[in-house]
């Protein structure tokens, strides 16, 4: 059980090899934490709608995102602020208009999978 951390070494596994494979599957705890934060961004239907719209439409203004998603301008701005802080989107000034675009390639990949396999997830 070479991969079990010392603080769990006193526990007795049923299948040592399976435990080691599971630990390998989990990988680096920091990486898991970072992905959990990314998934948290996608967990809100409003933010997910904004990200899907950005993924499909490319650079787009707040008012246009509000129109496309049915979310109020102020709520769109607030969500975009969070998405910008997380590094998921980027704001680019185009004269007096600020247009947002997707910045994180790993989120773009997830959105592409969602768009490609867009059926409703089955429960459980």
């Amino acid at each position: 059980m070479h991969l079990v951390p010392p603080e769990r070494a006193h526990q007795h596994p049923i299948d040592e090899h399976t435990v080691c494979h599971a630990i390998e599957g989990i990988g680096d705890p920091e990486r898991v934490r970072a992905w959990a934060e990314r998934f948290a961004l996608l967990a809100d239907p409003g933010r997910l709608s904004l990200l899907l719209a950005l993924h499909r439409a490319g650079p787009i203004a707040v008012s246009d995102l509000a129109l496309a998603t049915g979310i109020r301008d102020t709520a769109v701005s607030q969500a975009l602020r969070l998405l910008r802080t997380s590094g998921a989107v980027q704001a680019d000034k185009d004269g007096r208009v600020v247009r947002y675009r997707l910045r994180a390639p790993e989120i773009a990949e997830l959105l592409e999978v969602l768009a490609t396999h867009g059926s409703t997830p089955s429960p459980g």
Side-chain angles (χ1 to χ4, degrees):
M1 294 231 321
H2 65 285
L3 296 178
V4 174
E7 67 271 11
R8 288 184 258 156
H10 67 282
Q11 295 175 303
H12 300 288
I14 293 171
D15 184 341
E16 292 180 10
H17 296 293
T18 302
V19 171
C20 287
H21 286 302
I23 292 170
E24 286 175 337
I26 294 167
D28 176 35
E30 271 305 302
R31 184 182 66 101
V32 171
R33 185 196 57 73
W35 273 105
E37 289 176 4
R38 290 289 191 197
F39 282 119
L41 290 174
L42 302 174
D44 176 77
R47 285 193 304 266
L48 181 55
S49 295
L50 292 170
L51 288 167
L52 286 165
L54 286 167
H55 178 65
R56 179 64 175 233
I60 186 171
V62 170
S63 58
D64 290 344
L65 273 171
L67 179 61
T69 60
I71 302 171
R72 291 185 341 262
D73 285 28
T74 55
V76 169
S77 293
Q78 184 178 16
L80 287 171
R81 199 170 12 264
L82 174 69
L83 292 169
R84 194 174 59 235
T85 300
S86 75
V89 302
Q90 180 172 329
D92 298 313
K93 196 136 172 98
D94 182 14
R96 291 178 30 182
V97 176
V98 177
R99 297 184 192 278
Y100 287 84
R101 63 181 174 87
L102 204 53
R103 180 174 174 229
E106 66 278 7
I107 289 181
E109 289 177 32
L110 289 171
L111 295 171
E112 188 60 35
V113 169
L114 182 60
T116 304
H117 306 343
S119 63
T120 304
S122 57

